[in-house]
Amino acid sequence: PVRWLEELRINVIAPIMVARRFVPHVARSRERRIVAMSSSLGSHAMVRAGSNHAYRSAKAALNMALGVMALELKEQGITVVPVAPGMTRTDMGGPDAPFSAEDSVAHVRRTIAGLRPGDTGRFLSRDSSALPW
Protein backbone atom coordinates (compact mmCIF):
# COMPACT_ATOMS: atom_id res chain seq x y z
CA PRO A 1 0.00 0.00 0.00
CA VAL A 2 2.81 2.48 0.78
CA ARG A 3 4.46 1.98 -2.62
CA TRP A 4 1.11 2.43 -4.36
CA LEU A 5 0.47 5.69 -2.53
CA GLU A 6 3.97 6.87 -3.43
CA GLU A 7 3.39 6.05 -7.13
CA LEU A 8 0.12 7.99 -7.09
CA ARG A 9 1.74 10.94 -5.33
CA ILE A 10 4.67 11.10 -7.76
CA ASN A 11 2.96 10.14 -11.03
CA VAL A 12 -0.51 11.67 -10.66
CA ILE A 13 -0.97 14.16 -7.87
CA ALA A 14 2.31 16.08 -8.25
CA PRO A 15 2.19 16.59 -12.04
CA ILE A 16 -1.48 17.55 -12.01
CA MET A 17 -0.95 20.02 -9.14
CA VAL A 18 2.01 21.58 -10.97
CA ALA A 19 0.05 21.77 -14.23
CA ARG A 20 -2.91 23.40 -12.48
CA ARG A 21 -0.64 26.05 -10.93
CA PHE A 22 0.85 26.85 -14.34
CA VAL A 23 -2.43 27.12 -16.27
CA PRO A 24 -2.60 30.95 -16.02
CA HIS A 25 1.00 31.23 -17.24
CA VAL A 26 0.49 28.69 -20.02
CA ALA A 27 -2.66 30.53 -21.12
CA ARG A 28 -0.56 33.68 -21.62
CA SER A 29 2.33 31.86 -23.30
CA ARG A 30 3.03 31.54 -26.99
CA GLU A 31 3.20 27.73 -26.96
CA ARG A 32 0.11 27.03 -24.80
CA ARG A 33 1.03 23.42 -24.03
CA ILE A 34 0.89 21.17 -20.99
CA VAL A 35 2.72 17.86 -21.41
CA ALA A 36 3.32 15.15 -18.85
CA MET A 37 5.47 12.04 -19.06
CA SER A 38 3.29 8.99 -19.18
CA SER A 39 3.90 5.41 -20.24
CA SER A 40 2.33 2.88 -22.54
CA LEU A 41 2.00 0.82 -19.35
CA GLY A 42 -0.82 3.22 -18.44
CA SER A 43 -2.85 2.15 -21.48
CA HIS A 44 -5.82 -0.13 -20.77
CA ALA A 45 -5.80 -1.27 -24.38
CA MET A 46 -2.14 -2.30 -24.33
CA VAL A 47 -2.20 -4.58 -21.27
CA ARG A 48 -0.42 -7.79 -22.31
CA ALA A 49 0.82 -9.15 -18.99
CA GLY A 50 0.22 -8.46 -15.34
CA SER A 51 2.84 -6.82 -13.16
CA ASN A 52 3.73 -3.49 -11.59
CA HIS A 53 0.15 -2.67 -10.56
CA ALA A 54 1.06 0.51 -8.69
CA TYR A 55 3.01 2.14 -11.54
CA ARG A 56 0.55 1.07 -14.24
CA SER A 57 -2.50 2.28 -12.35
CA ALA A 58 -0.77 5.59 -11.54
CA LYS A 59 0.03 6.22 -15.22
CA ALA A 60 -3.53 5.27 -16.19
CA ALA A 61 -4.79 7.77 -13.58
CA LEU A 62 -2.43 10.43 -14.93
CA ASN A 63 -3.75 9.83 -18.44
CA MET A 64 -7.34 10.19 -17.23
CA ALA A 65 -6.57 13.38 -15.30
CA LEU A 66 -4.84 14.87 -18.35
CA GLY A 67 -7.76 13.87 -20.55
CA VAL A 68 -10.12 15.73 -18.25
CA MET A 69 -7.75 18.70 -18.12
CA ALA A 70 -7.62 18.73 -21.94
CA LEU A 71 -11.41 19.05 -22.05
CA GLU A 72 -11.40 21.79 -19.42
CA LEU A 73 -8.70 23.86 -21.11
CA LYS A 74 -9.61 23.36 -24.76
CA GLU A 75 -11.61 26.60 -24.95
CA GLN A 76 -8.55 28.49 -23.68
CA GLY A 77 -6.54 27.08 -26.58
CA ILE A 78 -4.27 25.03 -24.32
CA THR A 79 -3.08 21.71 -25.70
CA VAL A 80 -2.80 19.01 -23.03
CA VAL A 81 -1.24 15.61 -23.75
CA PRO A 82 0.46 12.72 -22.00
CA VAL A 83 3.55 11.47 -23.87
CA ALA A 84 5.11 8.03 -23.50
CA PRO A 85 8.87 8.16 -24.14
CA GLY A 86 9.25 4.42 -24.76
CA MET A 87 11.34 1.94 -22.83
CA THR A 88 14.44 3.94 -21.99
CA ARG A 89 17.77 2.89 -20.46
CA THR A 90 17.27 4.28 -16.99
CA ASP A 91 17.12 2.75 -13.52
CA MET A 92 13.55 1.73 -14.30
CA GLY A 93 13.99 0.66 -17.93
CA GLY A 94 17.21 -1.21 -17.28
CA PRO A 95 20.38 -1.56 -19.33
CA ASP A 96 18.71 -3.57 -22.11
CA ALA A 97 16.02 -1.01 -22.93
CA PRO A 98 16.10 -0.09 -26.62
CA PHE A 99 16.37 3.70 -26.24
CA SER A 100 19.05 5.84 -24.63
CA ALA A 101 17.94 8.72 -22.43
CA GLU A 102 19.33 11.18 -24.98
CA ASP A 103 17.38 9.53 -27.80
CA SER A 104 14.14 9.54 -25.80
CA VAL A 105 14.57 13.19 -24.86
CA ALA A 106 15.21 14.16 -28.49
CA HIS A 107 12.11 12.30 -29.70
CA VAL A 108 9.87 13.68 -26.96
CA ARG A 109 11.10 17.21 -27.64
CA ARG A 110 10.23 16.82 -31.34
CA THR A 111 6.80 15.52 -30.39
CA ILE A 112 6.22 18.48 -28.08
CA ALA A 113 7.45 20.94 -30.71
CA GLY A 114 5.02 19.51 -33.24
CA LEU A 115 1.92 19.69 -31.04
CA ARG A 116 -1.10 21.47 -32.46
CA PRO A 117 -4.40 22.43 -30.78
CA GLY A 118 -6.08 19.44 -32.45
CA ASP A 119 -3.76 17.12 -30.50
CA THR A 120 -5.25 18.07 -27.15
CA GLY A 121 -6.54 15.06 -25.27
CA ARG A 122 -4.56 12.55 -27.35
CA PHE A 123 -2.19 10.02 -25.78
CA LEU A 124 1.04 10.20 -27.77
CA SER A 125 4.13 8.10 -28.24
CA ARG A 126 7.66 9.43 -28.49
CA ASP A 127 7.25 9.58 -32.29
CA SER A 128 3.99 11.58 -32.14
CA SER A 129 1.85 8.58 -33.05
CA ALA A 130 -1.36 8.07 -31.09
CA LEU A 131 -1.41 5.42 -28.41
CA PRO A 132 -4.64 3.68 -27.43
CA TRP A 133 -6.17 4.64 -24.12
Side-chain angles (χ1 to χ4, degrees):
V2 171
R3 177 167 175 250
W4 214 318
L5 291 172
E6 188 70 0
E7 290 284 359
L8 290 170
R9 185 180 68 76
I10 292 167
N11 289 299
V12 186
I13 297 167
I16 295 302
M17 288 179 69
V18 168
R20 288 247 172 254
R21 290 286 201 173
F22 275 87
V23 166
H25 303 288
V26 173
R28 291 190 305 269
S29 74
R30 186 173 55 98
E31 299 297 328
R32 303 174 72 87
R33 299 174 184 151
I34 294 175
V35 178
M37 298 308 296
S38 186
S39 170
S40 61
L41 294 176
S43 166
H44 290 268
M46 295 177 70
V47 173
R48 301 287 181 261
S51 67
N52 211 348
H53 296 88
Y55 180 77
R56 286 175 178 229
S57 62
K59 289 302 186 179
L62 174 66
N63 291 348
M64 174 58 79
L66 290 169
V68 171
M69 185 179 283
L71 291 171
E72 292 172 345
L73 301 178
K74 188 174 185 172
E75 287 187 23
Q76 294 182 50
I78 297 175
T79 302
V80 181
V81 297
V83 175
M87 185 61 86
T88 303
R89 287 189 295 275
T90 62
D91 290 345
M92 184 176 171
D96 297 325
F99 307 119
S100 69
E102 295 80 9
D103 180 60
S104 286
V105 168
H107 276 81
V108 169
R109 288 185 68 182
R110 277 194 292 275
T111 293
I112 293 168
L115 288 175
R116 301 292 174 252
D119 292 321
T120 197
R122 295 178 66 210
F123 179 21
L124 299 177
S125 177
R126 66 196 303 269
D127 65 2
S128 301
S129 63
L131 292 171
W133 291 102

